[in-house]
Each structure stands twice: as structure tokens, then as C-alpha cells.
Amino acid sequence: MSEHSSAKGGVPHSAHWGAFSAAWDGHTLAVTPHPSDPCPSPILDNFPQALRHKARILKPMVRRGWLRDGPGPSTARGQDDFVEMEWDAVLDLLAQELVRIRDRHGAEAVFGGSYGWSSAGRFHHAQSQIHRFLNVAFGGYVRSVNSYSAGASTVILPHILGPLELVCRRNVTWEQICAHTDTVLSFGGMALKNMMVASGGVSRHIESEAIRAAQQRGTHFYLVGPIRDDLPVEAKAHWLAVNPGTDVALMLGLAHSLMAHGLHDRAFLDRYCVGYPVFEAYLQGQPDGQPKDAAWAASITGIAAADIVALARRLAGGRSLITVAHALQRAEHGEQPVWAAAALAAMLGQIGLPGGGYNYALGALAHYGRRNNAVPIPTLPQGKNGVRPFIPVARIVDMLLNPGAAFEYNGASLRYPDIKLVYWAGGNPFHHHQDLNRLRDGFARIDTLVVHESAWTATARHADIVLPATMTLERDDIGAAATDPLLIAMRKAAPPIGEARDDYAIFSDLAARLGVAEAYTEGRSAEEWLRHLYAPTRQALADRGLEAPDFDEFWQRGEIPLPSEPDDGGILRAFREAPETHPLPTPSGRIELFSATIDGFGYADCPGHPVWLEPTERPTPAHPLALIANQPATRLHSQLDFGGYSQAQKRKGREVARLHPNDAAERGIRDGDIVRLFNARGACLAAAELSEQMKPGVIHLPTGAWYDPQPGGDARPMCVHGNPNVLTRDIGTSRLAQGCCGETTIVQCERYDGPLPAIRAFDPPPAFSGPTRSAAE
Ligand SMILES: Nc1nc2c(c(=O)[nH]1)N[C@H]1C(S)=C(S)[C@@H](COP(=O)(O)OP(=O)(O)OC[C@H]3O[C@@H](n4cnc5c(=O)[nH]c(N)nc54)[C@H](O)[C@@H]3O)O[C@H]1N2
Ligand SMILES: Nc1nc2c(c(=O)[nH]1)N[C@H]1C(S)=C(S)[C@@H](COP(=O)(O)OP(=O)(O)OC[C@H]3O[C@@H](n4cnc5c(=O)[nH]c(N)nc54)[C@H](O)[C@@H]3O)O[C@H]1N2
Ligand SMILES: [Mo]
């Protein structure tokens, strides 16, 4: 296959944020968006400077203290220097450590959760590779379930409506909205920057055009949220600037208004739902003496009672669609907005109608609101995991700090396993996890942290063994998503940097050292795997009588189109049309407004029907601002934060925090000033931007700036770069789902007049060059 990109036209390639071609001439990389993409993502501009950036990892590295003292707990992680090693030696050392752990503690002492988005290619997908390695070559690992994205909704939706994927991905499409919808009521918005991304790739960004077309045809968009630009300007949205974390009260106020004015669809509730009477009694205030009327909702949400009643009337007066951003459930009691919105939509009686009802998370990712492919896409088989214990993904630090402790999850009483070795490939916990100082404490407890990375993220810096992985542009792969109509031949654009190797090559050599190379590789080279993984897609195309080029032809063309399923509304439409023959996959077969299953778990923090639960963290005089720590517009998560586009949007090298001019004036903050955000958990610097897009009392600092702790030995060091996860809370959403609560917290903000600390996050850590005596010798 291709060794280099032909300097002129470049080779086809793909990222989670778009398809493109890449041309590398040995010095510079030129990236050109796919010609048929109507609205390419600016995140593509992160690639050119990233490819050969100083933040790339060039050689295997081992933490000096680990090499000197051997495996064991250490608070030096993240501060020690590193010793370069040759590949053969480092893989010998790692294989020996894996065997030691397995012999002494068993495979259940290894956490291979390895949560993270990695890159778009389906074969070199690092998380798939590491799971396959640990299953097939090692004997299993403690895994994590669910995601940081949708921790609460993934668990509650199957109880009440159906599996997350079906409710998000095969429900109401943009096509239906353009043709049918009168009102879109969007909790948390549908920010264009979020819809530019889909795991596996998105070759055509159609959302801004779809919203424009719907608006011009007559769709009214209502944005409920603290930040006005959470809906694109094309939507010409009415803005309801709700207090963060209070949406459930607004949903209940709307539901109460429907009920009070007789606007709810009794026939729908009788035929398609269970539990409405219990929910109605709650709305009326029977159990607690508090009717959830518009006046009550207004006092909590900051939205006027008259506006709530008017909105309820509007929703009942035409084709209405309710959406809820993933963001709302990345919060304490995050199950409730997902469920309350379903209840509100059920009362409107439009679930299953074209362009109406409820499409949870529409607008959060480019996967949603599109047609699904009619043929399978390539996926790497991951083998069988020989270890039973697992954790909900965001409970990692609880696990590391409390081995053996009991916890509740979705009706089960479980215990945290005792982890000695953590192995990560394709994710960045120092990006995705909350309360990063607590994460450091967790990683200090284990014997060994192994990380495959293409760049010196904080996770790599905290590792004991760091193995340099190629970047996507440095290898051949296949790009595909189940909602995208192109299968992309992702051709290698440039040779690997330094001594970086593919995750597959690293795991193959490790498997050989464990004596099981054949089981892991099945005797295939990387190229043979691509051919092998392509075969089922080709077969499915042929079975449908479609053009089904062989692999070489596909590779040479650079892409092939995939057929899509009809826009059929999925399980909700089928259920509406024939509830007896197409029941929902819930316990009752209907929409559950009361769940006997959830009620039976007896969780006060997630009872048997949607409820308003007062959050345990509310703004205080000391920390009066609500922080929104959401997805960044300038990159995907923390990926390529050192790239040109991400860097160009920073000010004085820091991430930008937006706040309302009144909040800034109160604090003597001017546009462009460096500010310090802080609360009881930590502090970070950021650059202030004054913006009328913000609700007063709210400050916005997106995620993704690389954690850059100020040196000096502070146990809770300030991040000088602007990573909001030093501030967020590391608690579960509830005992039901145990999802993460990273989206919001409370902070204070002040002008920072001290000398500006240097940004060191993108400099390689210090390499030790003196003599080292290895414990392994
Ligand atoms: N406060 C707060 N926290 C959040 C969120 C929030 O809204 N607020 N959002 C959460 C959400 S929704 C998510 S999904 C997570 C995202 O969290 P992650 O998915 O962990 O974040 P990424 O930055 O995408 O991490 C991917 C890492 O994989 C590396 N990588 C890429 N390709 C390869 C490869 O081929 N091989 C190897 N070995 N490594 C590779 C990249 O360099 C990068 O460091 O963050 C969560 N955290
Ligand atoms: N450019 C870019 N796009 C991305 C990603 C990325 O990293 N970069 N990540 C992708 C991933 S993995 C995911 S899971 C999705 C996540 O999709 P989401 O979770 O929906 O995205 P966020 O940007 O975190 O949040 C959306 C908005 O919700 C609003 N919000 C926060 N709290 C509240 C609240 O209490 N009430 C209301 N009404 N609104 C609130 C905030 O103003 C925020 O801007 O995004 C995807 N898209
Ligand atoms: Mo996510």
C-alpha cells in the first residue's frame, strides 16, 4: 500500500470530524476537506501543525522511579522524569510485569477500561485493539460499562422507552423536521460544533442547512439553556435562559400546565403508556403537598410562569419535537431530565409521529437525525473477557481508592475490584474524568500504569510505561460510521514520527512475548486485517445487488458509497402503529411513566417516576457562579489541543472562559484578562471573554485544554492552562446509573494579576540521561 502521499493531490483520510485528503511533502502537511462536504469542520485545521509537533512521543519511555524501585504505589507519578528505552527491552519489561500481576493477583487486578475516542479508523481503533489484546492474549480485564457521554441515559432509557441507540439514532431525522415539525423544544440546545462530530467519521455536515431549511419552512425553535449560541443562528431561536440544572422543574411545570388546561392526550397515555396516574398525582402535589405548577417551576428555573403556560399551549397546538442534550444528564440526578422529557412528550401524544415526539440527544452528535446504513461496517472482533467484575465507567477513582467497597448500580449490589495495573490506549482520563486532583490520588495507589499515546497528554505523563503510538495519518485504515454514507480508504499520509508504532504492532509483539501471538493476530498483517474486515461490507453490498468492488478497487478509489435504510421512525413509529405486535422493549412493552422495576430498587436518588430533586450543590456566596464545562468548539475533547486551530483560539496561551459583561464588571474583569476560577476542589487559569451570549451568573469554560499543574508540590495544584476538570465533582448521577457529573459545578472567578506561569503542557517531560539501575535487571 502507499508509502507516502503523492505530494500534490494527497491521500484520502478521515477523522471523527470529517473526511479529507492529506498531502505530506516531508515538511508540511496540506489538508483539504472532502469536496462533497457542504460545511467542513474547522477542526481539520488542527492536523497540519500536529503531525510533527514537539508534543508527539518519539520513543518508549519508562518512569525513572518505577524503573529504580520496581512496581508499586507512588505519588511521584506525573512529576518524575523518564528514561528512554529500546522497543525490545521495554516490551520485555512490560510482558514480565503483566505476567507478574496475573500470577500474583489474577487478571481481575488489571483495569483495561481504556475509555476514549481514539481515532476514526475501525481497525486501528485503540480501544478495540486493547480489549482484544487483554481478552485474547491475557485472559481478560476489569472492564467499564457505558460512557461519559450518556452515563445516565444509557441506563434509564431501556427501562422506560428503549435502548439509547434506537432512541437517538433511529427516530426523528432532519428530513422529518424539515417536512413536518412546527416546534422544536430543545433542552440544552443543538450546538453546531457538537453536530460536526461523529465517532468513525462524518463525510457530510448537513445540520446547519437542515436547520435553516426547517426555520424557513416555518419550524419554531425554542432553546432552553444558559448559553444562547447552543442553537445555531440559522434557527432564529427563542431563548429561555434557564438556571443550569433546573430543567426538570421546567418540564414538570410544562406537564402540569398541559394537565391543568386539559391539553394532554389522554387516549395516547391510556393506550401507549403505563403509570400516568402516578405521575399525574405527583404533578398535582398529592404525595408532597406541592403542585408542580407554572408558578412553582418559575421560582426554580427563572422562566416566567406566563411563558411556561404559553409554551405548553404552543406545544399542544402543532407538531412538536422535544430534544434533550446529553449535557443535562451529565449532572447529579441526570436520569431525571431524560425521563421527565419523555413524560412531557408522552402527554403531548406525538411520540412516533413524523417530526414529533421525543428524540433524546438529537443535535449532540452528527450520528443522530440521520438515516442508518443498510450494510454493516467493519469492526474488529474483541474476543471474550474472562473476568466478571466491571464498573460504570466514571467510577474509576472510587474503584482505585476503595478496593473491595460496595456500591449500587442499576439494581445490583457490586464491589470494587482491587486494581494493581491500569492499561490505557486511545483515551485521556486527565481530559475526561472529574476532580483531577482526586484522579491523581487514585493513580498513585496502583503498582503500574501503562499508556499507549501519540502525544504527551497528562495521562502519558502520569504513566510508568509510555509507548509511542502512531497518529491516524501515519497508517492505513478504513473509516466508517453506521450513519455515514461513505466508506473511506484512510490511506497513510506520512511515515511514523520517531519510533512510534501502531497499537496493533505493539500488542502483536507483546502477545508473542506472552506466547499467544497467533491467537491475537490470527496470522494476519495489518493490511490483511483491512482486507478481512472489508469483506462483510462487500458481501452485504453484493447481497443487495449493489456494486461491490473488491478491496483493491475500493482502496484505489478511496471511498465507496453505502446504502441507507428507509427513514422509518424506528421502534417508536412501529410501536405507535401497532402497539400489540410491536411492543417497546421495556418491561411492560409500553412507555413507562412509572417504572415498577426502578421503584423496586428503592433508590431515593432515582425513584419510580420522574421527579424534581434538589441538587446537593447550588451556588453559594463563596462560589456564586454556575460553571458550564462542555464540549469544545475548537477540537474533539483533548485531541490535538496543540494543533493550529485549537491554539489560535486561545488567548495568552490559555483556554477562553466566557461570562456576562455584568458578572465581569462586578469583578473588575475586562475582556482578555486572565482570570482564576476556583472552588473547594481546585483552581485553574483562563482568559476572560465578555459575552452577551451568556446568562448572567453562568461562566463557560469548555473542556479539552491539557491539564497543566503549576509546579511546586501543592497537593491540589492550580492548572495554569484552563482544564475545568480540576473543578468538577466526581460523584455518580445516582445509584441507578452512576454516570459522571462533569457538565456543571459552582465556582468563583477573579482577575488574576500575578505573573503568568508558562504553559508546559506541550513540552515533553524531562528525560533522564544518567545511569539507571533497573529493578528488572
Ligand atoms: N467536565 C467535563 N468532562 C467531560 C465532558 C464534559 O462535558 N465535561 N465530556 C465527557 C465526554 S462526553 C467524553 S466522550 C469524554 C472524552 O474523553 P476521551 O475520549 O478520553 O478524550 P480524547 O481527548 O478524545 O482522548 C482520546 C486520546 O486518544 C489518543 N489517541 C488518538 N488516536 C490514538 C491511537 O491510534 N492510539 C492511541 N494509543 N491513542 C490515540 C489521543 O491522543 C487522545 O489523547 O470526556 C468527558 N469528560
Ligand atoms: N466540537 C466538538 N463536538 C463534539 C465533541 C467535542 O469534543 N468537540 N464531543 C462529542 C461528544 S463525545 C459528545 S458526548 C457530544 C456531547 O453533547 P452534549 O453533552 O449535548 O454537549 P455539551 O457541549 O457538553 O453541552 C451542550 C450544551 O448544554 C448546555 N447545558 C449544560 N448544562 C445545562 C443545563 O443544566 N440545562 C440546560 N438547559 N442546558 C445545559 C450547555 O450550555 C452546553 O453548551 O458532543 C460531541 N460533539
Ligand atoms: Mo461523549
Side-chain angles (χ1 to χ4, degrees), residues 375-597:
V375 293
I377 58 166
T379 42
L380 182 69
Q382 299 188 4
K384 270 195 80 163
N385 191 341
V387 170
R388 291 272 284 292
F390 67 91
I391 57 162
V393 67
R395 300 277 52 80
I396 175 173
V397 179
D398 286 354
M399 168 183 75
L400 296 176
L401 293 180
N402 308 295
F407 69 101
E408 288 288 316
Y409 168 70
N410 200 15
S413 297
L414 304 169
R415 278 187 191 283
Y416 289 121
D418 190 356
I419 298 299
K420 300 293 179 196
L421 183 144
V422 175
Y423 201 144
W424 225 288
N428 184 5
F430 277 90
H431 165 76
H432 64 236
H433 199 64
Q434 286 59 61
D435 198 351
L436 295 181
N437 292 313
R438 189 168 183 258
L439 178 66
R440 276 158 74 113
D441 294 345
F443 280 147
R445 298 288 183 96
I446 58 176
D447 283 3
T448 301
L449 175 58
V450 188
V451 174
H452 295 194
E453 250 300 349
S454 47
W456 278 113
T457 61
T459 305
R461 284 164 205 273
H462 283 77
D464 300 305
I465 299 180
V466 183
L467 302 180
T470 48
M471 235 175 99
T472 178
L473 290 165
E474 298 165 341
R475 60 200 183 216
D476 290 322
D477 211 331
I478 300 175
T483 48
D484 193 75
L486 286 185
L487 190 76
I488 310 261
M490 296 171 61
R491 281 160 54 185
K492 177 174 169 177
I497 196 169
E499 296 181 17
R501 302 185 70 198
D502 298 346
D503 295 291
Y504 179 66
I506 301 170
F507 286 129
S508 298
D509 282 359
L510 264 182
R513 281 166 170 80
L514 298 176
V516 286
E518 176 70 21
Y520 177 68
T521 65
E522 296 181 16
R524 293 188 189 94
S525 67
E527 179 183 339
E528 285 162 341
W529 269 106
L530 295 186
R531 292 174 181 276
H532 177 69
L533 297 180
Y534 174 72
T537 305
R538 183 187 184 207
Q539 185 62 50
L541 288 169
D543 291 346
R544 299 176 74 92
L546 296 166
E547 198 200 1
D550 68 17
F551 181 82
D552 292 309
E553 170 80 21
F554 156 62
W555 199 254
Q556 205 257 318
R557 283 196 212 168
E559 65 184 48
I560 54 166
L562 301 178
S564 60
E565 298 273 16
D567 180 15
D568 62 3
I571 58 167
L572 295 175
R573 178 85 50 83
F575 167 63
R576 182 178 189 104
E577 284 168 2
E580 281 74 31
T581 51
H582 290 88
L584 291 180
T586 59
S588 61
R590 301 203 218 167
I591 300 166
E592 303 218 350
L593 307 186
F594 174 85
S595 160
T597 310

Side-chain angles (χ1 to χ4, degrees), residues 175-463:
E175 295 166 72
Q176 293 174 36
I177 294 172
C178 287
H180 300 284
T181 312
D182 298 312
T183 304
V184 174
L185 173 58
S186 177
F187 291 90
M190 304 192 272
L192 214 47
K193 51 122 179 132
N194 286 356
M195 295 185 280
M196 305 229 86
V197 166
S199 54
V202 45
S203 59
R204 290 184 193 120
H205 294 91
I206 51 144
E207 285 78 7
S208 59
E209 193 41 50
I211 287 178
R212 185 199 315 277
Q215 194 280 331
Q216 285 177 354
R217 206 258 310 132
T219 309
H220 288 255
F221 288 86
Y222 284 77
L223 165 67
V224 179
I227 303 179
R228 188 198 288 262
D229 48 24
D230 281 337
L231 267 179
V233 282
E234 289 86 346
K236 305 206 163 118
H238 310 261
W239 185 28
L240 300 170
V242 75
N243 294 326
T246 65
D247 301 78
V248 171
L250 180 56
M251 293 166 184
L252 295 174
L254 289 166
H256 186 283
S257 303
L258 291 176
M259 178 198 73
H261 296 91
L263 296 170
H264 55 311
D265 187 335
R266 284 165 205 272
F268 184 89
L269 291 165
D270 284 349
R271 180 152 187 222
Y272 296 100
C273 305
V274 295
Y276 177 68
V278 183
F279 183 60
E280 190 184 79
Y282 172 72
L283 291 177
Q284 288 168 336
Q286 284 175 23
D288 57 359
Q290 175 59 64
K292 311 304 174 301
D293 56 19
W296 168 83
S299 70
I300 295 172
T301 60
I303 309 295
D307 291 345
I308 296 175
V309 175
L311 180 56
R313 287 192 183 281
R314 172 163 189 99
L315 291 171
R319 183 61 51 87
S320 295
L321 174 68
I322 294 173
T323 70
V324 171
H326 281 322
L328 272 72
Q329 50 86 67
R330 229 180 282 114
E332 190 180 18
H333 310 134
E335 296 82 1
Q336 299 309 318
V338 180
W339 202 356
L344 177 60
M347 289 176 74
L348 289 165
Q350 299 186 21
I351 292 174
L353 290 178
Y358 183 35
N359 198 135
Y360 168 71
L362 180 68
L365 288 148
H367 288 303
Y368 309 153
R370 295 180 179 234
R371 293 180 185 228
N372 291 257
N373 291 337
V375 293
I377 58 166
T379 42
L380 182 69
Q382 299 188 4
K384 270 195 80 163
N385 191 341
V387 170
R388 291 272 284 292
F390 67 91
I391 57 162
V393 67
R395 300 277 52 80
I396 175 173
V397 179
D398 286 354
M399 168 183 75
L400 296 176
L401 293 180
N402 308 295
F407 69 101
E408 288 288 316
Y409 168 70
N410 200 15
S413 297
L414 304 169
R415 278 187 191 283
Y416 289 121
D418 190 356
I419 298 299
K420 300 293 179 196
L421 183 144
V422 175
Y423 201 144
W424 225 288
N428 184 5
F430 277 90
H431 165 76
H432 64 236
H433 199 64
Q434 286 59 61
D435 198 351
L436 295 181
N437 292 313
R438 189 168 183 258
L439 178 66
R440 276 158 74 113
D441 294 345
F443 280 147
R445 298 288 183 96
I446 58 176
D447 283 3
T448 301
L449 175 58
V450 188
V451 174
H452 295 194
E453 250 300 349
S454 47
W456 278 113
T457 61
T459 305
R461 284 164 205 273
H462 283 77

Side-chain angles (χ1 to χ4, degrees), residues 115 117 147-150 197 326 330 364-365 368 431 631 636-637:
Y115 183 81
W117 267 58
S147 62
Y148 280 78
S149 319
V197 166
H326 281 322
R330 229 180 282 114
L365 288 148
Y368 309 153
H431 165 76
Q631 313 304 311
L636 174 70
H637 313 136

Side-chain angles (χ1 to χ4, degrees), residues 751-767:
R751 206 176 62 219
Y752 182 80
D753 293 325
L756 264 193
I759 302 290
R760 308 178 328 145
F762 306 115
D763 296 333

